[in-house]
Structures are given as structure tokens and as C-alpha cells.
Amino acid sequence: MSGPRIQIWFLILLLVVCFALACPLQSRFVAWPGSRANGDVFAITLGESRKLFANEFFVKADSYYHSGFYPTIFDDNRAFKTAHMAEDTGAVNSQNHGEEESFMGPPRNWIDAFGRHFMPDRHTHLDEGGASGDLSGSEGVREILPWLKLSADLDPQNVQNYIVTAYWLRQRMHQPKTAQEVLLEGLHENPGSCDILFELGRLYAESDHDTNRAVNVWMAGLHNWRPVKGTEDEVAANNFIYEKLATQMGAEQADVGNWQAAIQWFEKAKAVSKTPDGLQQMIELLQQHHSIKPKP
Amino acid sequence: MKTILAVAGVVIKELYRRKDFYVLFIVTMLICLIMASVRIFNDDKIIRYLKELCLLLVWVSSLVIAITTTARQIPAERENRTLLPLLAKPVTRTQLLLGKFLGCWLACGIALVCFYLFFGALAASREHQWPLLNYFQAASLHWFMLGIVIAMVLLGSLVFAAPSSNSTICFVVVGGILLLGRHLDSVALTLPEPVRSVFLIIYYSIPHLEFFDVRDLIIHDWPLIHWGYYGLALIYGIGYMVVFLTGASLVFRRQSVN
């Protein structure tokens, strides 16, 4: 046999060996925990640092919610510790204090005073019309969605992304089906998350008017809830979601006339609440309305 | 004036013969069009992220064009040995400098018109409105900011040894002013003396380029800037252009041609 023919046969042999090896190795490589072949571009390129970027994009979405009127790291941001777009959903514990309007303080000098004419200068929210102030334009809140989507892609374990996205999709964009998809995706990434279950229950109750399903979802949330040990903020956030779930359950029970169960739920909510007075008033109101003797 | 315009004309011709502008413009268009094709939650009215991206690319591209074009003007004349024959004609050094400045500034203006027309078309494709006066204010403030940068780079090209070092230093300075310029006084207050005084001197002496960056107003559909303040900003810009060009003229007069 001539030289080139041997080389061709040898090449074919090598190709066959490669193919035969590739078949068993491919499945093992995909199953290997250290594999980077899962198709997540962000995970491959950024690794764990993508969570830092995710937080930046979440803040960016809140900046859009304010039409660019937002504090920098040099300004007083006590009134922006919790994103207002998340706070307005009613599903997130707020840690904001101080003035929203005057985070820049009084002008420090003529350069600062002059510069303020070239930047957004009013506190507005997109769901209230944004910079134009046109209340009919509340659908403008759609502009925060790309940043929330990007943030969720980068950090799927941040449940706030799903809650905020779903809330605004449902409330202002009138897309409950898309909101449900977002929440289910969030639940897939964070199985048993009380926050997501609370929002999913609200979606079933308020958009689908399916109270039974909502109650089931809230009950699942309550079953999954566990007390946490951590910083004061972490404990407060965890208690807040329990309070919200228990309050919703109480309200549903009161609606169907089961006031004794309703009072029990309100009592449970009161036990972890930072503002128990309001819940106590609701309990007393129910007791008076149904002539139940208050507990000693 | 004719001499200045003649020199400026040559600079403008140089810009449209070079490929920098075309490459940057096409890259900007491609990135924006690809991003525009992405549909988020099946909503085709979401536009602000696209406006922000487009304006960011326009700003970066315009700064690259302004700094790189200006930085090589005088050094290239020296390197090609055309500076001496040019000054042997009835052209003074100040006229040459002013011609170079005007040429670079007008060339950047032409590039900006193309960029902002594309930006306006992109925004109008989804917003179905064209706030012309807002775009005019943003583009003209942007152009005056580039005027300050060009005058600064022209001065740098006479002080620094090579166009590359001049470009790098100018990019760092311009980026630093745009990102931190507004807050330097706040930072100064947290520092001990004499560093505090140094920071305050820098704060009051640098050109505050952030006045001219009104991208947030355009992205979020804020109303027009009051025309009085707009006019004052342009005067502020012209003031800094004069300062840098005077400095460049004084340095150039004392330098040897070869």
C-alpha cells in the first residue's frame, strides 16, 4: 500500500475512535457537577460574581421606576434602602427612613446648584405617570422590566426579582398569565419560597378570582415558613412574610364568615408583627361584630 | 478667518477619509438593532433601555472620535514634516491651532448629527413621537462638551510626548470628570487638610462636563431644560474652550517647529 493511503486509513481509524469515545464521555460530562456546558452564558462568563451585577441591575430598575431621580453612593440614600418598586408591591418589608425628595440636600455651592438644572429634579414613580405626571400613563412601569429580567437571569435565587416583575405585570400591564409564568419560574428556581407563594396566592385571588387555590398556595407558604436566625433585617423580612400570609388567611376566613379561624390567624400574624396595633384593632372589631368575649 | 477655515476644511476631509467614524457608527447601529430585536415579555413598547444603550454608545463613540482625531493633529504635522512648510505660508501658529480646533469640532458636529438622527429614528420607531427641541438641547450640549474636550486634547498634544499618551490621559481625565466631578467637593469634606484643599481646588478649576450630560432627561422623557440655564451652560463651555486654546497657543508659540 502506498504511503498516502495508509495515512488516510489511519485518519479514518482515529475519527472512529474519537466518535466512539465521544458517545460515552458526552453524557458523563453533562452529568458532571463541574460542567460548564449547561448553556448559561452568564454563569460561564461571570461565575459567582454575576450576583453583584444582578443587584446593580435591580437597583437600575428602581432608578428607572423613579425616571432617573435616584441617589448615588455619595448621596443620602436612607430613603432608598428598600427599592420603592418592591415596597409598592406590598410584599416586601420596607427599611426606608428619611426624605425621598431631598436626598441631595441643599445645594453645596454654585456649581452644584447650577448642575441640578441638568438632571432629573423631582421624586416621581413610573406607575403614577413618571416625569410627565400623567396618571393615565401608569403602563410606563413596563420600562423597569428589562432590568428585572436581566437581574433574574443573573441571580435566579433572588426572589424579589420574580415578585416585583410579577406584581407589575399583573397590576399595570394586565398580563396575569405572564406574571404567573414568572412566579412559577421563580418557584422552580427557589422551591417552597414563602415570598413567591404569597404573591402567587394574590395572583390567584385577585386576578383569577380563584380563592380556594389562593388559600391552598398561602397554606403551602405557611407550612414552608421557618424562623430564621440572622441579622435584624433578615429576621424582620422573614417575619414580615409570615405576617402577610397569616393576615391574608385571616382576611379570607373572615370573608367566608369563619371569624373564629380568622381571629386565630390575626393572632398569629400579631405575634410576629412590628405593628401589632392594627391587627389588634381588626381582632377587636371581629370580636365586637360577632359578640365574642375577648380573651383574658 | 479664511485661513482658519481652510485649515479646518482639511481636518474635516481627513475625518471622512478615515474609517474611525464609519466603524463606530456601524457598530453602534448593529448593537442597537440587535438589542431592539429582543422582545421582553412580548411588549414592543419598552424603549428606555434601548435609548440608554444607544446614547451610551453615541457618547463613547463621539469621545473616541474627538480625542483620537485631535490628539494626532499637531504630532502628525510634525512627523510628516509639513508643519514648517505650513507655517512658512501666511499662517500664524494661533491660526493653525484655531483651524485644527474648528476642524475637529465641526467634524465631531457632523458625526453627532448622524448619531442623533439614528437615535431619533430608533426612539421614534417605538415611541411614535419626536421631541425635537429636547434632542436639539441634548445634541448641542453634547457638541459643546466635545468642544471643551477637543481644546483640552489640543493643549495636551503640545504638552505630552506622544499622541497615545495624550489620548490615554485625556480619556482618564474626561471619564473621571464625568463620573466623579460632581461629587469631588463631598469627597473633599471627608478628607484631612491639606488634601481637602487640593481636592477643592481641583473641583473648582476643572470643567464640569457633567452639566452637558443630559442623557437621563432624554431617556426618561423629562421636560425641556430652561433656556436660560441652557444658554449659561453653552457660555460656560465656550469659556473653557477659550482657556484651553489660549493655553495651547501660549505653549505652541514657545515650542520649536521641528
Side-chain angles (χ1 to χ4, degrees):
Chain A
M1 275 171 54
S2 60
R5 189 168 287 183
I6 291 174
Q7 286 173 3
I8 290 167
W9 280 113
F10 189 66
L11 199 66
I12 291 168
L13 178 71
L14 280 177
L15 281 171
V16 171
V17 170
C18 286
F19 185 77
L21 277 174
C23 291
L25 283 178
Q26 173 66 17
S27 55
R28 286 186 189 190
F29 180 66
V30 171
W32 177 47
S35 167
R36 290 188 157 198
N38 59 2
D40 186 348
V41 179
F42 296 126
I44 293 166
T45 52
L46 298 172
E48 285 303 303
S49 68
R50 68 188 189 278
K51 289 182 181 175
L52 287 172
F53 291 98
N55 188 48
E56 283 304 309
F57 289 128
F58 189 75
V59 173
K60 184 83 180 166
D62 200 37
S63 165
Y64 266 47
Y65 188 63
H66 291 90
S67 298
F69 183 75
Y70 210 70
T72 64
I73 54 167
F74 299 101
D75 298 312
D76 176 11
N77 63 359
R78 280 176 301 166
F80 292 82
K81 289 241 180 225
T82 303
H84 292 187
M85 64 178 181
E87 191 184 16
D88 288 354
T89 64
V92 176
N93 186 33
S94 174
Q95 297 163 18
N96 295 333
H97 307 284
E99 280 297 311
E100 296 168 335
E101 284 284 348
S102 55
F103 61 79
M104 284 192 277
R108 299 182 296 271
N109 48 59
W110 71 268
I111 292 173
D112 187 34
F114 185 61
R116 291 185 189 190
H117 295 291
F118 302 92
M119 60 175 78
D121 59 355
R122 278 198 328 273
H123 181 259
T124 58
H125 284 176
L126 269 184
D127 69 318
E128 293 158 1
S132 67
D134 176 14
L135 288 172
S136 64
S138 60
E139 285 189 352
V141 79
R142 64 164 61 87
E143 301 292 349
I144 68 173
L145 297 178
W147 301 108
L148 289 172
K149 175 93 176 76
L150 191 54
S151 181
D153 287 345
L154 285 167
D155 184 6
Q157 270 66 54
N158 184 357
V159 293
Q160 278 199 11
N161 281 319
Y162 304 105
I163 296 166
V164 177
T165 306
Y167 177 82
W168 292 114
L169 275 169
R170 179 168 65 86
Q171 284 287 359
R172 290 286 186 268
M173 311 297 298
H174 312 294
Q175 293 186 37
K177 286 289 163 212
T178 317
Q180 188 183 354
E181 283 168 21
V182 169
L183 288 172
L184 292 177
E185 187 194 326
L187 213 50
H188 176 73
E189 296 287 349
N190 305 274
S193 163
C194 304
D195 305 72
I196 295 176
L197 286 169
F198 169 68
E199 186 56 34
L200 192 61
R202 283 210 301 185
L203 184 143
Y204 291 141
E206 293 169 18
S207 298
D208 296 352
H209 305 290
D210 188 348
T211 318
N212 289 336
R213 204 173 179 191
V215 168
N216 287 340
V217 170
W218 286 327
M219 282 302 292
L222 284 161
H223 282 301
N224 287 331
W225 186 85
R226 299 280 179 279
V228 294
K229 284 177 184 171
T231 62
E232 198 178 323
D233 288 345
E234 285 167 355
V235 173
N238 189 50
N239 286 347
F240 178 79
I241 198 63
Y242 183 84
E243 181 193 342
K244 297 298 282 185
L245 283 163
T247 309
Q248 283 286 359
M249 285 300 296
E252 286 303 325
Q253 295 299 326
D255 278 351
V256 295
N258 194 357
W259 59 84
Q260 283 162 326
I263 289 170
Q264 282 178 355
W265 281 117
F266 287 137
E267 290 282 2
K268 284 181 180 176
K270 200 179 80 174
V272 294
S273 176
K274 269 188 167 180
T275 51
D277 295 346
L279 287 162
Q280 181 59 37
Q281 279 178 3
M282 286 172 77
I283 292 166
E284 284 169 7
L285 204 68
L286 274 172
Q287 286 170 336
Q288 281 170 11
H289 195 255
H290 300 288
S291 308
I292 300 171
K293 283 182 186 172
K295 282 181 184 174
Chain B
M1 192 64 194
K2 273 186 183 174
T3 319
I4 294 170
L5 286 175
V7 176
V10 175
V11 178
I12 293 170
K13 278 177 194 159
E14 185 198 325
L15 179 88
Y16 69 69
R17 279 178 193 150
R18 291 180 67 91
K19 295 180 186 70
D20 308 23
F21 166 69
Y22 305 110
V23 170
L24 288 167
F25 187 60
I26 290 167
V27 167
T28 301
M29 272 177 52
L30 274 178
I31 293 174
C32 290
L33 292 175
I34 290 168
M35 290 306 292
S37 68
V38 177
R39 295 195 77 184
I40 298 155
F41 297 118
N42 294 321
D43 193 327
D44 56 2
K45 288 183 184 167
I46 298 174
I47 177 69
R48 291 189 187 178
Y49 81 99
L50 203 56
K51 282 162 77 176
E52 171 150 12
L53 177 71
C54 186
L55 281 177
L56 176 71
L57 291 170
V58 169
W59 267 72
V60 172
S61 302
S62 65
L63 280 172
V64 169
I65 291 169
I67 292 175
T68 55
T69 306
T70 313
R72 64 174 172 250
Q73 289 301 320
I74 306 282
E77 296 281 5
R78 276 215 180 96
E79 205 174 295
N80 299 333
R81 297 183 184 280
T82 48
L83 191 58
L84 194 60
L86 196 62
L87 290 173
K89 290 175 182 171
V91 179
T92 65
R93 293 187 183 202
T94 307
Q95 282 175 329
L96 180 70
L97 265 181
L98 287 176
K100 293 286 185 190
F101 166 77
L102 193 65
C104 290
W105 197 28
L106 288 174
C108 286
I110 295 165
L112 274 189
V113 169
C114 298
F115 276 120
Y116 273 87
L117 277 175
F118 170 69
F119 169 75
L122 188 74
S125 69
R126 290 201 183 180
E127 283 187 325
H128 308 298
Q129 58 173 350
W130 209 337
L132 278 177
L133 283 176
N134 298 57
Y135 291 171
F136 170 76
Q137 281 191 339
S140 52
L141 284 169
H142 189 167
W143 189 45
F144 272 71
M145 188 279 301
L146 289 179
I148 300 173
V149 172
I150 288 166
M152 189 167 75
V153 178
L154 212 51
L155 172 63
S157 70
L158 296 165
V159 174
F160 300 114
S164 54
S165 56
N166 182 25
S167 301
T168 310
I169 290 166
C170 287
F171 272 122
V172 171
V173 169
V174 170
I177 293 173
L178 284 170
L179 290 173
L180 295 172
R182 188 164 77 86
H183 306 287
L184 267 183
D185 61 330
S186 309
V187 176
L189 293 176
T190 62
L191 298 169
E193 287 290 359
V195 187
R196 176 190 292 191
S197 300
V198 172
F199 267 66
L200 284 174
I201 290 168
I202 293 170
Y203 175 76
Y204 282 107
S205 54
I206 55 170
H208 282 270
L209 302 178
E210 71 274 9
F211 293 167
F212 304 88
D213 182 4
V214 293
R215 281 177 294 161
D216 271 346
L217 302 182
I218 295 293
I219 293 163
H220 299 289
D221 301 331
W222 284 89
L224 281 171
I225 303 162
H226 189 280
W227 288 101
Y229 296 119
Y230 165 81
L232 282 173
L234 298 190
I235 293 167
Y236 177 87
I238 291 168
Y240 270 98
M241 286 181 222
V242 171
V243 167
F244 284 125
L245 287 173
T246 308
S249 177
L250 290 172
V251 173
F252 197 30
R253 269 188 210 175
R254 290 176 189 183
Q255 275 186 348
S256 62
V257 175
N258 291 316

